[in-house]
Amino acid sequence: MAKKLVIKVTAGADAPERCSQAFTVAAVAVASGVEVSLWLTGESSWFALPGRAAEFELPHAAPLPDLIDSVLAAGRVTLCTQCAARREITEKDVIEGVRIAGAQVFVQEALADDTQALVY
């Protein structure tokens, strides 16, 4: 029975270690065969835009674009609807493969059977 992991990352460049931890855990879980849904909220919302992850730097951490690419390759990345609206980000603006969805979808995913939810 495969477990699912839902990760909500609220931090961006404002809290780089917490941000990096969330993306790293998501990428490691995907590489381990876990079904991953990564939610970008708050300041991490900016990483849904092309090129923004490349601007993020943290010593001794994997490059954020690589982590995002690995999650997109085998998992799901979602940008929070309200967070996107507050930043005037639309579906035409985001990286290919990123969807925009709201709290109802997050709650459904987080409460699904055999699912663990983490918030960073």
Side-chain angles (χ1 to χ4, degrees), residues 29-116:
V30 164
S32 300
V34 176
E35 185 179 327
V36 173
S37 177
L38 178 65
W39 282 74
L40 307 178
T41 68
E43 286 303 300
S44 72
S45 299
W46 295 113
F47 299 128
L49 297 174
R52 291 301 284 266
E55 298 171 7
F56 180 87
E57 290 185 17
L58 181 65
H60 309 291
L64 204 55
D66 294 348
L67 298 174
I68 292 171
D69 287 347
S70 67
V71 175
L72 281 170
R76 178 182 303 145
V77 177
T78 305
L79 172 59
C80 163
T81 301
Q82 290 180 4
C83 299
R86 280 190 282 276
R87 290 160 180 82
E88 299 180 356
I89 299 171
T90 67
E91 288 189 3
K92 67 178 176 55
D93 299 319
V94 299
I95 297 167
E96 185 177 342
V98 173
R99 70 175 178 166
I100 297 177
Q104 180 183 5
V105 176
F106 175 80
V107 170
Q108 288 174 341
E109 287 186 10
L111 294 178
D113 290 339
D114 300 316
T115 300
Q116 174 69 50

